[in-house]
Amino acid sequence: MSGRLRPADDPASIDEGARLLREGGLVAFPTETVYGLGANAFDATAVARVFEVKARPSFDPLIVHLAAAADLDRVSTSEDPRVQRLAARFWPGPLTLVLPRRPDLPEIVTAGLDTVGVRVPGHSAARDLIRKAGTPVAAPSANPFGQVSPTTAVHVAELLGDGVDLILDGGPCRVGLESSIVALVSGTPTLLRPGGVAREEIEEALGAPLAESSPSAERPLAPGRLARHYSTRTPVRLLSGEAGPCPAGAGARVGLLAWRDAPDREGYAAVEILAPDGQAGTAAARLFAALRRLDALGLDTILAEPCDEGGLGLAIMDRLRRCAARS
Ligand code: TXA
Ligand code: MG
């Protein structure tokens, strides 16, 4: 039997997930950001199956998840005091640190890089699972490569179905966007991906500004950060300001991804409101599910309102731009 959904708050389900991980199985599990597709990070064969199930290119490394910051030395050799500072402030939580890797971590996890991405997830079921498995867990988002990340267990079942041995259902993800990724390898810390922790907060904790990532064509810093990521089947167009009535020429059936409700939204086939309360956190938590609902309607176009790029807005705009960056 594959792709079974089990409640993540049932200790027997966690036990079963932990056993499957130890035996080389794949377990999808909830985190506070998005659902992950987990394998024992020290079992190269199991990790290879993750790449296969996701159709993920082998040059794209996986994030390793730990039950606690105290386990960091199982995967990284870093002695940088800034790591302790960031871990103390943001773990468990939506921050991934890219650090020097330990040589015994299988190469496939880090795609041959000498660094490892690592985080302690903020969902207690994820930490229980990892603790009971007794091993760090390598896990990308539980979606086929290039698609929108799942924020519910049902999304995972729809996306990966039989490729997974067990899906732990921990409800909808609280944050809804992937973790922020910061490289702390040498010199200036670099923001590789904006995400669930606001850039301003990380900079405040470090007492210094983060550098921008400047990927080279051959080896991007975060190799999964291809411009055209998070694709929907329906083309997405990012608007330059607030939406009014449906613009002529946008297509026969147009969807709108709006920040707030407004009276003049005539002519759309469907409208999704991201932040009825005006909060970026609410919009982040609803973004991927809203995109998925619009994408399922077979529309001609999805128009998306932009937002302010402060706080979580930076990560929201990053994802919307990537959705829109398709040929
Ligand atoms: O919130 C998250 O981070 C979720 C949950 C499941 O933890 N995971 C997630 O994983 O988003 P994934 O595989 O979809 O995205 C991980 C990103 C990729 O763009 C990958 O290239 C980058 O992290 N990454 C992982 N290890 C890296 C490393 N050593 N150096 C640079 N980038 C790395
Ligand atoms: Mg992903």
Side-chain angles (χ1 to χ4, degrees), residues 29 31 33-37 54 56 60-63 65 96 98 110 113 115-117 119 139-141 143 149 177-179 181 192-193 221-225:
F29 61 96
T31 84
T33 59
V34 300
Y35 275 73
L37 175 61
K54 274 190 64 108
R56 182 181 179 110
D60 192 2
L62 306 184
I63 293 173
H65 297 69
T96 293
V98 168
T110 63
L113 298 177
T115 57
V116 58
R119 81 180 190 101
S141 51
N143 52 279
S149 301
L177 291 176
E178 299 85 350
S179 58
I181 305 182
L192 302 185
R193 175 174 76 181
L221 274 173
R225 305 289 293 147

Side-chain angles (χ1 to χ4, degrees), residues 90-245:
F90 298 111
W91 284 354
L95 177 69
T96 293
L97 297 176
V98 168
L99 305 171
R101 56 169 270 169
R102 264 180 68 139
D104 53 334
L105 190 66
E107 288 257 318
I108 186 169
V109 174
T110 63
L113 298 177
D114 49 18
T115 57
V116 58
V118 56
R119 81 180 190 101
V120 178
H123 197 301
S124 62
R127 294 195 304 279
D128 289 348
L129 175 74
I130 301 164
R131 191 175 304 112
K132 284 200 172 153
T135 177
V137 171
S141 51
N143 52 279
F145 184 71
Q147 293 189 23
V148 175
S149 301
T151 52
T152 68
V154 169
H155 294 164
V156 179
E158 286 168 3
L159 290 167
L160 298 178
D162 288 349
V164 193
D165 297 307
L166 182 70
I167 302 172
L168 293 171
D169 185 350
C173 298
R174 181 172 55 76
V175 176
L177 291 176
E178 299 85 350
S179 58
S180 304
I181 305 182
V182 171
L184 260 180
V185 179
S186 59
T188 314
T190 304
L191 183 65
L192 302 185
R193 175 174 76 181
V197 179
R199 171 188 198 131
E200 298 88 330
E201 277 186 70
I202 305 169
E203 292 181 329
E204 193 215 304
L206 285 168
L210 288 165
E212 293 294 335
S213 66
S214 48
S216 78
E218 279 132 60
R219 178 146 280 197
L221 274 173
R225 305 289 293 147
L226 305 173
R228 208 187 132 180
H229 216 76
Y230 306 98
S231 0
T232 46
R233 272 169 302 169
T234 318
V236 173
R237 221 175 79 206
L238 194 53
L239 297 169
S240 54
E242 240 178 76

Side-chain angles (χ1 to χ4, degrees), residues 4-14 30 125 166-171:
R4 288 162 305 140
L5 249 97
R6 295 278 302 273
D9 59 3
D10 169 10
S13 313
I14 299 284
L166 182 70
I167 302 172
L168 293 171
D169 185 350

